[in-house]
Amino acid sequence: MFWEIFDFLSSKCSTKTADWLMSQTKHRPQVAIICGSGLGMLADTLKCQDSFAYSDIPGFPQSTVQGHAGRLVFGELKGKSCVCMQGRFHMYEGHSLLKTTFPVRVFKLLGVETLFVTNAAGSLADCLQPGDIMIIKDHVNFPGLVGLNPLCGPNDDKFGPRFPAMSGCYDKNLRCLAMEIAKQLGVAGLMQEGVYAMVGGPNFETIAEARLLHRLGVDAVGMSTAPEVVVATHCGLRVFGLSLITNKVVKSYEDSDSVNHEGVLEVGRLRSHTVQQLVTELIGRMEINNNNTNNAA
Ligand SMILES: O=P(O)(O)O[C@@H]1C[C@H](O)[C@@H](CO)O1
């Protein structure tokens, strides 16, 4: 009963939100971008902007984290129509996973076909340094593995199947194109592919947790992204993801370093221009299916 009401509200609500947005802007985005901590300035590069505070959008959750402005910005990048979330929602803020991923279904209803996710993350791999950019090849969704999954509850068939495949959820062609672009921009030295893991947060990892993640083959750890990608893949969106490495995760009891959110935001500011260039070029050069069909409407 609980799930039925929840599901009904979520499905109806995303349609209502998408309809409201379409009545307020002429943009019909093909690409959606979710900005991670400290990376919100990506939205400032959109041309011909229409922007909406989350608090003014019917049904939209609210951002509570510093470095997440709470604005939805529509506009154009390299001639492609985009919508950009300046601020995302995290499970640790107290939002349900259905709420944290609510915008993804709204994007689907707006006709978006490709989702870009960006995040700030801590590095576990010795070869990833603060300031490096990791192209996400795959993820480990720790909350999802124990049943905290936005797709739990009755399946909404109009978005996708009950048991969606997640292999290949980060598009290979876009990953290759991003690497090519990085070479042309002269920033390939900062970039490599890797595996992102989502943990629940809001605390950063203990040393024992960091060691566990490292042994499991995780290259970078953060507190977001995986649920958005699960919902996007479920409803057939093509996904591209970037992690900006903002800190090394402390793995040694001899190490006196410790991570904090201000440091995370600072690295975001330092690398925002490079992330912007990469995303802009990639959007400019990627192929897109031009018929905005407002799928799943
Ligand atoms: O929204 P993202 O995943 O970029 O934010 C990361 C994870 C925490 O929210 C915060 C920690 O500094 O940054």
Side-chain angles (χ1 to χ4, degrees):
M1 185 62 180
F2 169 76
W3 282 119
E4 275 165 30
I5 293 168
F6 214 35
D7 187 57
F8 171 80
L9 287 175
S10 142
S11 161
K12 278 264 184 289
C13 205
S14 48
T15 306
K16 201 173 139 205
T17 303
D19 287 348
W20 185 86
L21 286 166
M22 284 194 282
S23 74
Q24 302 293 311
T25 177
K26 291 200 162 46
H27 291 288
R28 293 293 177 264
Q30 302 151 302
V31 182
I33 307 162
I34 302 181
C35 299
S37 286
L39 295 169
M41 53 287 269
L42 245 173
D44 300 334
T45 56
L46 299 193
K47 308 271 181 301
C48 313
Q49 291 191 9
D50 275 339
S51 80
F52 305 92
Y54 292 166
S55 53
D56 292 336
I57 306 174
F60 230 68
Q62 304 306 309
S63 283
T64 66
V65 185
Q66 193 201 344
H68 292 260
R71 278 190 337 143
L72 191 64
V73 184
F74 290 79
E76 286 186 11
L77 262 187
K78 296 264 176 179
K80 300 216 170 77
S81 182
C82 300
V83 57
C84 194
M85 276 178 76
Q86 225 172 14
R88 65 147 55 82
F89 309 114
H90 306 85
M91 195 173 84
Y92 66 74
E93 292 173 80
H95 298 302
S96 69
L97 285 168
L98 219 50
K99 265 197 174 176
T100 66
T101 56
F102 175 82
V104 176
R105 286 190 166 173
V106 172
F107 297 152
K108 177 70 179 176
L109 294 170
L110 292 176
V112 162
E113 68 159 45
T114 307
L115 176 70
F116 276 50
V117 283
T118 66
N119 59 56
S123 154
L124 292 148
D126 297 333
C127 55
L128 281 168
Q129 303 303 323
D132 286 354
I133 297 168
M134 187 183 86
I135 297 175
I136 306 177
K137 177 172 74 179
D138 202 352
H139 73 224
V140 180
N141 179 11
F142 276 105
L145 291 179
V146 295
L148 288 170
N149 187 313
L151 300 179
C152 283
N155 184 57
D156 194 339
D157 294 335
K158 90 176 184 294
F159 285 105
R162 171 75 289 186
F163 299 109
M166 287 293 143
S167 48
C169 57
Y170 294 88
D171 187 81
K172 194 166 181 189
N173 292 334
L174 289 179
R175 288 194 272 131
C176 292
L177 184 55
M179 225 14 150
E180 235 175 73
I181 290 170
K183 284 184 193 142
Q184 286 156 10
L185 293 174
V187 296
L190 298 177
M191 309 223 2
Q192 55 192 288
E193 287 198 340
V195 173
Y196 172 88
M198 182 210 177
V199 294
N203 61 281
F204 292 105
E205 296 67 41
T206 64
I207 292 172
E209 287 163 351
R211 289 178 171 195
L212 174 73
L213 292 168
H214 184 52
R215 283 194 186 176
L216 290 176
V218 171
D219 298 304
V221 58
M223 305 173 196
S224 67
T225 304
E228 296 153 1
V229 172
V230 166
V231 169
T233 304
H234 176 251
C235 66
L237 298 184
R238 176 171 63 160
V239 174
F240 176 77
L242 282 181
S243 290
L244 173 63
I245 303 302
T246 53
N247 56 285
K248 297 284 285 181
V249 180
V250 178
K251 297 198 295 267
S252 161
Y253 290 101
E254 315 317 320
D255 193 338
S256 57
D257 278 0
S258 80
V259 53
N260 60 64
H261 188 55
E262 288 66 38
V264 167
L265 296 181
E266 180 59 23
V267 178
R269 277 190 286 276
L270 291 174
R271 271 285 178 262
S272 63
H273 182 63
T274 309
V275 174
Q276 261 169 38
Q277 275 185 313
L278 275 166
V279 169
T280 306
E281 284 303 311
L282 186 53
I283 289 178
R285 285 178 47 183
M286 72 187 194
E287 286 182 15
I288 218 147
N289 170 7
N290 264 322
N291 52 355
N292 182 320
T293 50
N294 296 342
N295 290 321

